[in-house]
C-alpha cells in the first residue's frame, strides 16, 4: 500500500492548503484531493512543486507498507434496553478481524468495539452512536488472532487513520442494517489514540 504524507507534512510546518496554492498555483481541489489521499496518482510536475515548497524529497512525501489490509466484522451483539423507539440506551459489542496479506503470510488481528446507541430525539437530531474501540482486547478464543494494537503500532502514521476508518465504516454499515435505520446517523468513535465523529 502506498499513501502520501501531504496532510502530515502540512501540519508539521503549520501550513494550509491555501498557502501551497498561493505559492505553487496548483488548484485547491487537486491539493485537497491529495491531502485526503483520494487521488490515484500525482503528476511529476505537481509533485516537484509540492516537494519544493515543503522542502522534502519524493521519498519523504510517500509512505509504503508491504501488505494489503482487509477487515471483517466477525461478531455483532446488540443489547437493547427496551423498545428502540423509546430513546433507550443500547450496549453494542463487536469483534473486529483485520487480515494483512503479505507476500509470504497472512496475519490475523482482533479488536473489540462497544458503546451505546440513542434513537432520534423529538427535536429531530439524528440517531447517535457513542463507541469505544479497544485495540487491545482481552484474550480471544483462538491464539491465531493478535491484538490490533500490534498492527496499529507498526503502521506508518498515514495508514493508521485509514485502518480505523475502514473498520468504523463497516461497523456503521452493520449497525444501520441491523437496527433498520434509514436516516443519517452520527457516529463518535474513541480509541486509545484517536477520536473521530462522522455521519453515515
Amino acid at each position: 500500500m502506498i499513501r502520501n504524507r501531504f496532510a502530515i507534512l502540512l501540519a508539521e510546518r503549520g501550513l494550509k492548503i491555501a498557502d501551497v496554492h498561493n505559492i505553487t498555483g496548483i488548484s485547491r481541489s487537486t491539493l485537497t484531493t491529495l491531502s485526503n489521499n483520494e487521488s490515484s496518482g500525482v503528476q511529476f510536475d505537481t509533485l516537484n512543486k509540492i516537494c519544493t515548497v515543503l522542502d522534502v524529497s519524493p521519498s519523504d512525501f510517500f509512505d509504503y507498507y508491504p501488505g494489503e489490509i482487509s477487515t471483517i466484522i466477525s461478531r455483532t451483539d446488540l443489547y437493547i434496553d427496551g423498545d428502540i423507539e423509546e430513546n433507550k440506551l443500547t450496549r453494542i459489542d463487536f469483534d473486529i478481524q483485520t487480515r494483512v496479506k503479505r507476500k509470504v503470510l497472512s496475519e490475523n488481528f482482533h479488536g473489540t468495539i462497544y458503546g451505546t446507541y440513542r434513537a432520534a430525539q423529538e427535536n429531530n437530531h439524528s440517531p447517535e452512536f457513542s463507541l469505544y474501540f479497544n485495540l487491545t482486547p482481552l484474550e480471544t478464543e483462538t491464539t491465531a488472532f493478535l491484538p490490533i494494537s500490534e498492527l496499529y503500532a507498526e503502521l506508518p502514521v498515514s495508514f493508521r487513520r485509514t485502518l480505523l476508518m475502514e473498520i468504523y465504516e463497516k461497523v456503521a454499515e452493520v449497525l444501520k442494517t441491523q437496527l433498520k435505520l434509514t436516516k443519517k446517523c452520527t457516529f463518535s468513535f474513541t480509541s486509545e489514540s484517536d477520536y473521530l465523529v462522522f455521519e453515515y
Side-chain angles (χ1 to χ4, degrees), residues 1 10 18-19 26 34 45 47 61 70 76 80 98 100 111 131 142-143 149 152 155 166 172 176 181 194 200:
M1 299 183 297
L10 286 175
D19 300 322
I26 300 170
L34 277 173
D45 183 57
L47 178 61
F61 188 76
S70 60
T76 306
I80 300 173
T98 295
V100 178
L131 303 165
T142 172
T143 57
S149 57
Y152 187 85
L155 284 174
E166 177 179 333
K176 289 194 67 173
L181 301 173
D194 192 76
Y200 186 90

Side-chain angles (χ1 to χ4, degrees), residues 122-186:
E122 292 182 1
N123 55 9
N124 291 323
H125 284 175
S126 62
E128 298 176 355
F129 292 86
S130 299
L131 303 165
Y132 180 79
F133 184 18
N134 186 4
L135 281 75
T136 312
L138 299 175
E139 285 188 25
T140 59
E141 296 179 0
T142 172
T143 57
F145 293 91
L146 301 171
I148 284 183
S149 57
E150 292 191 14
L151 171 62
Y152 187 85
E154 77 173 50
L155 284 174
V157 173
S158 61
F159 287 103
R160 292 177 179 177
R161 176 57 67 87
T162 301
L163 169 66
L164 294 179
M165 275 306 302
E166 177 179 333
I167 292 171
Y168 295 165
E169 287 179 356
K170 286 182 181 293
V171 167
E173 181 180 355
V174 169
L175 281 173
K176 289 194 67 173
T177 299
Q178 292 203 4
L179 298 176
K180 298 179 181 179
L181 301 173
T182 55
K183 65 187 301 185
K184 278 192 175 182
C185 300
T186 300

Side-chain angles (χ1 to χ4, degrees), residues 5-182:
R5 303 180 66 248
F6 186 34
I8 296 171
L9 294 168
L10 286 175
E12 289 175 348
R13 288 156 177 75
L15 294 173
K16 298 180 179 179
I17 285 176
D19 300 322
V20 179
H21 164 71
N22 292 334
I23 296 170
T24 64
I26 300 170
S27 71
R28 291 172 187 256
S29 60
T30 296
L31 294 172
T32 300
T33 300
L34 277 173
S35 177
N36 293 332
N37 263 292
E38 297 173 346
S39 173
S40 58
V42 54
Q43 295 183 353
F44 287 155
D45 183 57
T46 299
L47 178 61
N48 179 59
K49 290 178 180 178
I50 293 174
C51 286
T52 300
V53 171
L54 299 177
D55 192 24
V56 297
S57 68
S59 62
D60 295 323
F61 188 76
F62 294 102
D63 269 335
Y64 170 70
Y65 184 75
E68 294 296 328
I69 296 175
S70 60
T71 299
I72 63 171
I73 308 298
S74 58
R75 178 182 66 89
T76 306
D77 290 330
L78 304 181
Y79 302 92
I80 300 173
D81 298 330
D83 191 330
I84 199 168
E85 298 300 329
E86 296 179 357
N87 304 326
K88 299 294 185 181
L89 287 176
T90 302
R91 197 173 96 243
I92 303 158
D93 293 324
F94 275 97
D95 279 343
I96 311 298
Q97 292 180 15
T98 295
R99 170 167 292 182
V100 178
K101 296 180 180 178
R102 309 186 194 212
K103 185 175 181 180
V104 180
L105 58 99
S106 291
E107 294 173 289
N108 293 290
F109 297 86
H110 170 77
T112 299
I113 284 182
Y114 58 89
T116 59
Y117 164 84
R118 189 181 294 277
Q121 306 295 302
E122 292 182 1
N123 55 9
N124 291 323
H125 284 175
S126 62
E128 298 176 355
F129 292 86
S130 299
L131 303 165
Y132 180 79
F133 184 18
N134 186 4
L135 281 75
T136 312
L138 299 175
E139 285 188 25
T140 59
E141 296 179 0
T142 172
T143 57
F145 293 91
L146 301 171
I148 284 183
S149 57
E150 292 191 14
L151 171 62
Y152 187 85
E154 77 173 50
L155 284 174
V157 173
S158 61
F159 287 103
R160 292 177 179 177
R161 176 57 67 87
T162 301
L163 169 66
L164 294 179
M165 275 306 302
E166 177 179 333
I167 292 171
Y168 295 165
E169 287 179 356
K170 286 182 181 293
V171 167
E173 181 180 355
V174 169
L175 281 173
K176 289 194 67 173
T177 299
Q178 292 203 4
L179 298 176
K180 298 179 181 179
L181 301 173
T182 55

